[in-house]
Amino acid sequence: MRENYRKQLESLSRELIAMGSLCESAIDMCIKVISRSEAVGDDIKVLEGEINSKERELENLCIKILLQQQPVASDLRFISAALKMVTDLERIGDNAADIAEVAAYIGQLGEGERKVFSDLSDSVRQIVRNAIDAFVRRDTELAKETIEYDNVVDALFVKVKHLVIESIDRENADGESIIDLLMCAKYFERIGDHAVNVARWAIFAK
């Protein structure tokens, strides 16, 4: 029974990493849409569906472990936190799909805008990866660093807002495209917030 319990916990950690990897892939697709480097078509919707399915699988696995094994102490906190964590990961998938949808209507970006969105997407991908690593490894120090790293994401979001303000002042400014650009940045910022939630669950799970 204890061997089965250990395998279930290992499976939970693997599946959490898998779900996080799907979220990172969704973030990668977003920047491809924004930069026009690659058309993702319906791929982002398919990926969002996979993330949603993974959420249900993980919820079922957590409940199964709780009912069959009746874990105590740190394992109970880890499993309970995992149930909360998958909700944040699912919302990351939703936000990524939102970015891809809105980004399709954005006009060609200037060099400065491409650079800041590249930095923003890289930082968001990094904070998501670190948050999941912190949770799975039960690493509270990494979790705290991840929470602090959200300041980088927030600073880049502010930078986008400044670029948007500068764009409004231009004579040939495309109002709708500018609004869509700001919405995309806001969705990225929300992804960072969900990653922070995951890091906080990592601290709780410890």
Side-chain angles (χ1 to χ4, degrees):
M1 179 64 75
R2 288 294 94 184
E3 178 64 17
N4 184 48
Y5 177 41
R6 182 184 64 78
K7 287 181 179 179
Q8 285 179 320
L9 288 176
E10 289 175 353
S11 177
L12 175 57
S13 293
R14 284 196 305 271
E15 292 305 310
L16 286 171
I17 292 171
M19 188 174 182
S21 180
L22 290 174
C23 290
E24 288 181 43
S25 296
I27 294 168
D28 288 339
M29 283 189 184
C30 292
I31 198 60
K32 288 175 182 177
V33 177
I34 293 173
S35 65
R36 300 291 190 270
S37 64
E38 187 177 323
V40 301
D42 293 329
D43 292 349
I44 189 70
K45 288 295 183 184
V46 172
L47 193 52
E48 183 188 14
E50 291 177 6
I51 292 171
N52 292 342
S53 294
K54 187 65 69 175
E55 178 194 22
R56 291 190 291 272
E57 288 175 19
L58 280 162
E59 286 175 342
N60 289 336
L61 178 56
C62 288
I63 292 170
K64 183 178 180 181
I65 297 173
L66 289 171
L67 291 177
Q68 289 183 347
Q69 308 295 349
Q70 297 180 340
V72 295
S74 62
D75 284 344
L76 178 59
R77 291 196 301 274
F78 181 79
I79 297 163
S80 300
L83 275 168
K84 299 289 188 180
M85 170 185 171
V86 294
T87 300
D88 280 297
L89 292 181
E90 187 272 335
R91 287 175 181 164
I92 287 173
D94 288 346
N95 288 153
D98 290 334
I99 291 169
E101 182 178 352
V102 173
Y105 299 99
I106 296 174
Q108 191 67 36
L109 297 181
E111 184 178 344
E113 293 164 333
R114 282 199 306 272
K115 177 65 168 62
V116 74
F117 265 100
S118 177
D119 291 344
L120 181 57
S121 64
D122 286 345
S123 65
V124 165
R125 188 192 301 110
Q126 188 64 50
I127 197 173
V128 169
R129 181 183 295 127
N130 288 352
I132 295 164
D133 285 350
F135 189 94
V136 171
R137 288 157 46 188
R138 307 192 191 194
D139 187 336
T140 55
E141 286 307 311
L142 180 57
K144 291 174 184 176
E145 290 172 10
T146 301
I147 292 170
E148 283 296 315
Y149 189 73
D150 190 45
N151 292 329
V152 175
V153 178
D154 290 342
L156 286 166
F157 173 60
V158 170
K159 195 171 182 179
V160 172
K161 286 198 294 184
H162 289 162
L163 283 174
V164 167
I165 292 170
E166 291 173 8
S167 298
I168 292 172
D169 290 336
R170 291 201 297 262
E171 263 185 46
N172 59 345
D174 180 348
E176 289 186 11
S177 184
I178 288 171
I179 292 171
D180 290 338
L181 196 65
L182 186 57
M183 285 180 64
C184 286
K186 184 60 181 175
Y187 284 131
F188 271 124
E189 191 260 347
R190 285 178 182 172
I191 290 175
D193 289 342
H194 288 304
V196 167
N197 288 344
V198 171
R200 286 175 176 153
W201 285 121
I203 294 170
F204 169 82
K206 183 67 173 180

